[in-house]
Amino acid sequence: MHVIDSHTGGEPTRVILDGAPDLGLGSLAERARRLATEHRSFYRSVMLEPRGQPAMVGALLVEPVDQTCVSGVIFFDVDAVLGMCGHGTIGLAVTLAHLGQIGVGTHRIETPAGIVTVELHDANTVTVTNIESRRVRHATRLDVPGYGPVKGDVAYGGNWFFIVDPSPIAVEPHNIQRLTDLAVAIRQAAIAQNTGGENGEPVDHVILQEPSPRDGVLSRNFVLCPDDTYDRSPCGTGCSARLACLAADGVLPAGEEIVQESVIGSSYRLLYQPGRTGGVIPKITGQAFIMSEATLTFDPRDHFRAGIELPGEDDAKP
Ligand code: PYC
């Protein structure tokens, strides 16, 4: 299995070029469902330590249905198949450029959440135009065991986010463990209290947000991913959900650019245009860098060939 690893603002992406199971035909959403239900051990083996690393997102290249797209892609982390992934799309565009498959310019990529476009500005800098993003609940209250009531918005940006602004815990690197514990408790409460998308979609990510102390940077976030790691980048789909909230609150006009940073200080430039159905079309600009090109091997004699699975770990999530 050949892979290329990159990182976008510190968040790793592993693009799988070959050697993955055949997901058959159908829409990308159907193939993503098949990956999630029939090939869980495959994608976990690629993401888990020692072959993978915490916070890594996989990007499986598949044939697009829409032949105007340069590629189809299904993203996943160690715990879930994702609808879309912003940092992963930036990493994918830089990887396709590295392989000589795309050049500077605009290209379409098909994801389970819909078609996104990437504008490659140079070898590392990419603007992703995401699918239409929307806020579905405003200032909704959750009772979070161990923490009490927490208010936040539920918004969609290709994944489902519960967004708390301002964060009750300072969004600082020394607080990462406390932020993680709070965000996990919020996600569990959102699921238990049926506080998700319009059609019952469960919240899969949590954002704890606050103003940034840095000049020219609007805000800083901590983003919890489905695998309980935090996004080292400001999270492209999370920024999309956040833009939908800023637009719905009337505090950010269409076309005005802001800068969003992550808890480790990596940043994206963001803006939106109005969407067709009342939401926003986000544009996210960031940079990715290639880190390695590798061949993954799965030696049958290796006790840990499927990754390190600690007892109870794979069934601990809600
Ligand atoms: O950038 O959208 C994103 C993302 C989702 C999970 C990790 N990164």
Side-chain angles (χ1 to χ4, degrees):
M1 183 184 302
H2 293 108
V3 300
I4 297 188
D5 291 354
S6 62
H7 79 88
T8 310
E11 179 75 355
T13 303
R14 172 163 285 173
V15 176
I16 299 169
L17 301 175
D18 55 40
D22 181 9
L23 299 176
L25 299 173
S27 69
L28 259 72
E30 283 163 37
R31 283 182 266 168
R33 256 191 304 280
R34 246 170 256 145
L35 177 64
T37 54
E38 296 169 23
H39 301 286
R40 187 166 167 80
S41 58
F42 153 73
Y43 70 79
R44 281 179 72 75
S45 71
V46 180
M47 295 288 101
L48 279 170
E49 293 179 85
R51 196 175 283 107
Q53 66 180 90
M56 182 173 252
V57 165
L60 176 56
L61 299 186
V62 295
E63 186 64 24
V65 176
D66 184 325
Q67 292 295 318
T68 65
C69 294
V70 286
S71 183
V73 62
I74 301 173
F75 294 108
F76 51 86
D77 72 11
V78 76
D79 259 303
V81 174
L82 306 171
M84 216 321 255
C85 178
H87 94 266
T89 304
I90 295 171
L92 171 59
V94 165
T95 301
L96 293 177
H98 174 77
L99 291 168
Q101 293 184 10
I102 64 170
V104 166
T106 302
H107 311 275
R108 285 155 64 82
I109 294 177
E110 193 167 346
T111 78
I115 292 174
V116 301
T117 63
V118 290
E119 190 180 350
L120 183 73
H121 302 283
D122 57 40
N124 302 101
T125 314
V126 178
T127 298
V128 178
T129 303
N130 196 5
I131 47 105
E132 184 161 346
S133 301
R134 61 190 191 280
R135 177 164 80 182
V136 301
R137 292 175 195 254
H138 177 46
T140 195
R141 180 187 144 132
L142 287 177
D143 291 309
V144 184
Y147 294 92
V150 172
K151 269 196 185 163
D153 291 358
V154 176
Y156 178 72
N159 296 300
W160 285 97
F161 292 84
F162 192 92
I163 304 175
V164 180
D165 182 12
S167 171
I169 297 173
V171 179
E172 302 278 355
H174 65 263
N175 282 335
I176 282 172
Q177 189 55 54
R178 290 177 64 213
L179 291 159
T180 302
D181 293 344
L182 171 61
V184 168
I186 289 174
R187 190 185 56 214
Q188 280 168 350
I191 292 169
Q193 293 160 39
N194 292 320
T195 303
E198 310 95 318
N199 301 310
E201 298 90 341
V203 161
D204 40 39
H205 293 66
V206 174
I207 298 181
L208 303 169
Q209 181 92 30
E210 69 181 19
S212 167
R214 289 211 289 159
D215 275 353
V217 181
L218 182 72
S219 43
R220 174 188 285 177
N221 67 20
F222 170 90
V223 183
L224 181 81
C225 298
D227 61 2
D228 290 355
T229 60
Y230 70 95
D231 197 330
R232 279 65 169 159
S233 82
C235 189
T237 52
C239 287
S240 302
R242 165 91 174 136
L243 284 169
C245 297
L246 293 172
D249 286 335
V251 296
L252 182 69
E256 188 169 312
E257 188 173 273
I258 56 170
V259 179
Q260 166 78 51
E261 67 177 348
S262 72
V263 64
I264 67 159
S266 58
S267 61
Y268 287 157
R269 291 189 283 119
L270 309 175
L271 56 79
Y272 73 87
Q273 296 299 337
R276 287 217 193 111
T277 62
V280 301
I281 306 290
K283 283 185 184 288
I284 304 138
T285 302
Q287 286 199 316
F289 293 87
I290 303 290
M291 297 188 294
S292 69
E293 302 185 39
T295 305
L296 304 188
T297 53
F298 297 80
D299 187 330
R301 294 164 306 172
D302 178 2
H303 178 68
F304 291 116
R305 67 186 172 281
I308 301 172
E309 292 269 17
L310 299 179
E313 214 173 46
D314 192 22
D315 52 25
K317 300 284 157 49

